[in-house]
Amino acid sequence: MNRRQELALGALGVLLAFGACEAIGRAGVVRRGYLPPASEVLARAVELAADRTFLDGVAVTLRAWALGLGLACAIAIPLGLLLGSVPVIDEAVRAVIEFLRPLPSVALIPLVSLLLGSGTGTEVALITYASVWPILFNTVHGLSETDPVAKDTLRAFGFGRLSVLLHVELPATAPFIAAGLRISAATALILAIATELLSGFGQGLGIFIAQAQLATDGTRDVLAGVVWAGVLGLAINGVLVRLERLAFPWTAGHRRRDGSGGARRSGPAVARRDGSKDAGRGGLGCARSVGSGDYRSAGGGGAGPDGVGQGGSGPARPVGSGDRRAEGGGGTAAGGAPT
């Protein structure tokens, strides 16, 4: 399914949901005071786009969202790399992490409010707490999925622990981190609006919704605020998905979305002894004879998702007898076993 078909199906789903809500609202199944027709809600949401006070509140919510999500990334990514790289530390703090992770952030609002007072500080702290976990666990999981052959090959060429982390582990983990970031972005927006709703004063999209529900005929404004929250979430997710596709075009999910099937979109083809081909990331290495029959290549800069290819180009150097390796500037790749 190509991008145009996806957009068409998405638009069809939106139209069907809009039509159902409009029909229910106008049929009198539910009183209009509780569920206005969808056209009236949409018209009110469009009106709010010209309301400067409302837009200022949305900007306050987005600022708290961005601050909380940025702090979560600054905490979770280094901590995830540390826990994934040093098993002793991971085992030492695992019980504490598993104790804190299930705690709902909304339940911590009274405690955080007592410590930090009401306002942006409390909101950012709660957003950060809720957003840390998806990024943290995705980072740890991504490190565990790194190709061990790629790491061992770099160590064999004399690269240190930091070089292995920067050239192999971090590039291989980056798609996992991006997926965790998308999950955390949605969680952060939920927490931003929920914190404002429960606080009941100040500025923000949640404040607008909380004040509208207290009005005599405020259902339309409440639903219009909910529409704005949904549009913000949809826009944020769309931007992050687009950036993820641009940054990691070789991942399987993005290859299928782009209609490229199982073929890789970057790097040269690497022939294996069993007749199959794989593609890596980066430049070509020159062959050198090393061992006993399989094909391996080392290039400059990390490994692809299946450990094949990445790197610059290097000269051919005979070392042993049998299999072949291509040496470049530091990346690794493993080919198939000899037949």
Side-chain angles (χ1 to χ4, degrees):
M1 183 179 297
N2 58 34
R3 185 63 177 166
R4 183 175 297 178
Q5 290 173 326
E6 288 182 353
L7 291 175
L9 289 176
L12 178 61
V14 171
L15 289 176
L16 290 176
F18 181 86
C21 293
E22 181 75 9
I24 293 173
R26 294 195 178 277
V29 178
V30 181
R31 287 176 55 186
R32 282 202 176 193
Y34 297 121
L35 183 63
S39 57
E40 295 183 9
V41 174
L42 184 60
R44 178 56 179 158
V46 173
E47 289 178 10
L48 290 174
D51 188 336
R52 183 60 181 272
T53 303
F54 174 79
L55 294 180
D56 289 341
V58 172
V60 170
T61 299
L62 289 177
R63 184 169 65 247
W65 168 84
L67 288 173
L69 189 61
L71 284 174
C73 291
I75 295 171
I77 295 175
L79 183 59
L81 293 175
L82 178 64
L83 296 180
S85 303
V86 186
V88 174
I89 298 179
D90 183 37
E91 292 297 329
V93 302
R94 175 63 61 177
V96 177
I97 290 176
E98 293 299 334
F99 172 78
L100 293 175
R101 183 166 64 104
L103 295 179
S105 300
V106 177
L108 299 176
I109 290 178
L111 175 61
V112 178
S113 297
L114 287 174
L115 296 174
L116 302 178
S118 59
T120 305
T122 296
E123 193 173 352
V124 170
L126 292 169
I127 292 171
T128 301
Y129 177 81
S131 303
V132 157
W133 307 113
I135 303 173
L136 174 64
F137 284 100
N138 269 37
T139 303
V140 174
H141 177 69
L143 280 177
S144 68
E145 293 293 315
T146 304
D147 184 8
V149 175
K151 295 188 290 185
D152 292 342
T153 305
L154 251 67
R155 294 190 187 105
F157 283 121
F159 287 88
R161 184 71 189 87
L162 182 59
S163 295
V164 174
L165 175 65
L166 294 178
H167 291 90
V168 175
E169 292 179 328
L170 193 55
T173 308
F176 293 89
I177 297 174
L181 179 61
R182 279 197 291 119
I183 297 171
S184 292
T187 303
L189 185 60
I190 293 170
L191 258 295
I193 296 174
T195 304
E196 293 167 353
L197 272 169
L198 294 177
S199 65
F201 57 89
Q203 277 187 302
L205 181 56
I207 300 298
F208 174 83
I209 296 173
Q211 292 175 348
Q213 71 180 355
L214 299 177
T216 304
D217 189 21
T219 305
R220 189 179 63 160
D221 281 355
V222 170
L223 294 177
V226 171
V227 169
W228 268 87
V231 169
L232 289 177
L234 185 63
I236 290 169
N237 184 73
V239 170
L240 292 177
V241 168
R242 180 61 180 168
L243 292 175
E244 192 174 341
R245 288 179 179 176
L246 292 175
F248 315 113
W250 63 85
T251 56
H254 296 157
R255 290 201 307 273
R256 286 193 296 269
R257 284 179 175 272
D258 293 336
S260 57
R264 303 189 183 282
R265 300 186 56 191
S266 62
V270 178
R272 293 182 175 180
R273 289 292 298 273
D274 57 8
S276 63
K277 288 188 176 181
D278 267 321
R281 297 170 44 215
L284 287 168
C286 297
R288 65 169 184 154
S289 179
V290 179
S292 59
D294 62 2
Y295 279 66
R296 298 185 183 177
S297 73
D306 58 357
V308 179
Q310 161 167 321
S313 60
R317 282 194 280 167
V319 176
S321 62
D323 73 344
R324 300 185 134 189
R325 294 187 180 178
E327 181 190 296
T332 66
T339 55

